[in-house]
Amino acid sequence: MDPSRPFRRPNIVVIGSSEATGDEEDLARQLGSAIAVQRWNLVCGGRGGVMRAAAAGFRAARVHPDAGCSVGLLPGADFSEANEFLDVVIPTGLGLARNALVALAGDVVLAVGGFAGTLSEMAMAWQFDKPIGVLGQTGWAGQLRNVSFDSRRSDSIESLDDVEAAILWVERRLRVDA
């Protein structure tokens, strides 16, 4: 980070399906825990599945008083749509258009599994020039490993073998983009 700029805690977006498999939820929970240990903020879509698991892992691992927070950007207008592990809940009332806010909110975007909503968030993150990493072999995250959506960017979606590799990749991206 640039020392001349005021401190801003990095936002790490975790995306994936609300109908995740057990393996995807386990991976998301580990990822949320690792994000908390780094004292970064976690941003997600705020509902179930991968989003809930990441927020649960984040809450369970957040032990430092200077830790970040977890934020959920909901598609609807009702706070009750949110999972119970979030620190901040923002009902957008935007429906699927909220996916643009999720993608835009991150310094980096990490995908685990995912269906069409995850694909739209990945495509928007690509258009917003956000670094995108994927974990696991399932869903759109599994299908888009090392893929470029188009030629407007020189990089590709980064294939990450595990949570440790994801954290190291995020650290490198945060230094590069600072």
Side-chain angles (χ1 to χ4, degrees):
M1 296 281 173
D2 180 352
S4 66
R5 294 172 48 192
F7 173 75
R8 183 183 64 80
R9 189 179 307 280
N11 291 338
I12 311 306
V13 170
V14 175
I15 59 175
S17 178
S18 61
E19 300 171 24
T21 67
D23 288 344
E24 291 167 346
E25 288 181 355
D26 288 344
L27 189 54
R29 191 171 296 105
Q30 293 172 36
L31 189 56
S33 294
I35 291 168
V37 167
Q38 295 297 317
R39 301 184 198 164
W40 298 328
N41 294 324
L42 168 72
V43 179
C44 66
R47 298 173 75 200
V50 164
M51 300 165 277
R52 181 179 186 274
F58 185 90
R59 174 161 298 170
R62 186 181 53 201
V63 295
H64 194 276
D66 187 32
C69 67
S70 60
V71 179
L73 298 165
L74 302 175
D78 188 348
F79 282 97
S80 69
E81 293 177 16
N83 73 63
E84 68 274 27
F85 297 106
L86 296 166
D87 298 314
V88 179
V89 174
I90 302 172
T92 68
L94 295 173
L96 295 176
R98 95 50 163 94
N99 291 357
L101 296 179
V102 172
L104 191 57
D107 293 286
V108 299
V109 175
L110 295 169
V112 177
F115 296 134
T118 304
L119 176 61
S120 73
E121 289 166 332
M122 291 173 77
M124 289 180 201
W126 184 267
Q127 291 177 304
F128 291 134
D129 204 27
K130 302 293 181 174
I132 305 167
V134 295
L135 291 100
Q137 302 291 328
T138 59
W140 283 109
Q143 293 181 48
L144 296 174
R145 297 167 77 83
N146 301 313
V147 168
S148 294
F149 276 110
D150 56 39
S151 62
R152 288 180 258 182
R153 289 175 54 171
S154 62
D155 63 335
S156 62
I157 296 170
E158 188 76 20
S159 175
L160 304 164
D161 292 332
D162 54 30
V163 171
E164 183 179 333
I167 296 303
L168 292 172
W169 176 78
V170 169
E171 288 174 336
R172 283 193 307 274
R173 293 309 312 212
L174 292 174
R175 281 193 300 273
V176 167
D177 295 335

